[in-house]
Amino acid sequence: MSSSASDKPPGLRTGTLSTADISFFVVSAAAPLTVMAGVAPIALVLGGIGAPAGYLIAGITLAVFAIGFTTMSRHVRSGGAFYAYIAQGLGKPLGIAAALVAMVGYNGMEIGVYGLLGSATADTAHALWGTDLPWLPIALGGLLLIWYGGYRSIDFGAKLLGVLLVAETGILVLLAGGVLIEGGADGLSLASFAPGNVLVPGTAAVLAFAFSAFTGFESTVIYRREARDPARTIPRATYIAVGFLGLFYAFVVWTVIQAFGDDRVVAAAADDPGGLFFAAITTYVGPWAADLMHVFIVTSIIASLLAFHNAINRYGLALAEEGVLPAALGRIHPRHRSPYVAGIAQTVLGAGVVLGFAAAGADPYTQLLLWVNTPGMLGLMALMLLAALAVVRYFRRVPHQEGALRTLVAPVTAAALLAVAIWLVASKVALFTGASPTVNAVLVAVVPTVLALGLLLAYRLRRTRPEVYAHFAAEPAEPAAPTDHTDPAAPTDPGAPTCPPQPTSSSSTPASATPSSPGTPLSPSATD
């Protein structure tokens, strides 16, 4: 027995991540300090002093999405997260297409940020020491640093992200505290939340920026296999991430408005958007705090990169286990228990994109960051829309004890709101990229193109590799337990699905079901 156990290949480090650990991963991916100091001033210019409400509206929308999303996480236990949910709810062709969109989306969100790391670090060095540094060596050094963070164990990454996240949110809390203690420029005002300041034409642009500020929160489910008690940990971490980001963003933007005054903040943001937060913290806290903010913006970017890198590695691992990607990407490090080969592949891909943009003479911020990030953001939003629709279809097909609010009302509402959000971002894409109409059209077309290619791949897999297609997004085997699992009315594992296990091939039928039974759940492939 010991011999067979030692021959078993290592797996991910299970039961490691707490609710706080997973929250650190997903909130770090959003990079709160970078979003606030780098993007919120533009939202103020476009939407006026009602901008804080835009972040609240985006947060509420995503919290509604999280209701169905986390309910699905209790029933679908595959490591594929988004693509597994979509495959189980909408069929394998869309699930395989979603897997491609997920890989493009998460890689886009990460690789583009190396341009931001290079430019922001160079700006910090110039601001603090008057030194001019080239961005490319910084970006390449960042690639190696992030590779090492992903190579190490997941608990190492969680601890590192915890420290970096406390630093970046701490400096924003320090700024807010200084403004509140001083009473702002003209006394504290709630005019930002008055309907007359929220319901203005510029709010649509603010919402586009606000939705992009939450990117990464949905990756909680990717860490299911490494979470403690995932049936509870995943939903809690998801709600904490959405709630924290929505309230924190709105609060910080509101305090910066108070720092300059309702009548003057928009002009100040238009004159120097990149310096707005630094000017506020210098005035209300001190120049030393502005220097710290420069440093913490760099660490905020590093935290975001590491969080996305870990998410990408786990998607690569899941797809390698599915047989869609090369099996080598599924190797787990025997000591660190990390998907280290997937991490190497992702790092090589990132280096190739960064070097390609550098060879073309591209700007690290306006081109590498914005051109690569934008389709990534649209891809993840499209996955959320498909996942919301998948929740509705899935729970219409399988018996369950979940309420209609979680399985119908919330996901349908979320799907409608997310469709509006995607339209807002796509229609305002020029605000994100500053590029020509031709470039913007190409960037918006990336996601539907990848989705179409994914559908073609799915049909090719069904024809040429039917065994891979048949087992795609199948539920993992139930762990051995002393209880009798033939009674679905009394499950003992709170993380186990309430529906019968999925068949192991596209043509099989669960042994406990009869074909004529109206309550029998369909095989995922039965809807293909």
Side-chain angles (χ1 to χ4, degrees), residues 219-263:
S219 60
T220 50
V221 294
I222 297 173
Y223 300 102
R224 178 184 180 90
R225 289 158 65 177
E226 295 157 289
R228 302 175 198 163
D229 191 6
R232 293 183 175 87
T233 302
I234 298 300
R236 287 173 182 170
T238 305
Y239 287 122
I240 288 171
V242 174
F244 172 78
L245 289 173
L247 294 172
F248 190 66
Y249 286 152
F251 172 67
V252 170
V253 176
W254 174 77
T255 57
V256 168
I257 292 171
Q258 307 313 301
F260 291 89
D262 292 342
D263 298 332

Side-chain angles (χ1 to χ4, degrees), residues 114-140:
Y114 285 109
L116 178 61
L117 176 64
S119 61
T121 305
D123 290 345
T124 295
H126 183 80
L128 297 183
W129 305 295
T131 303
D132 293 321
L133 299 177
W135 72 270
L136 181 58
I138 298 169
L140 295 177

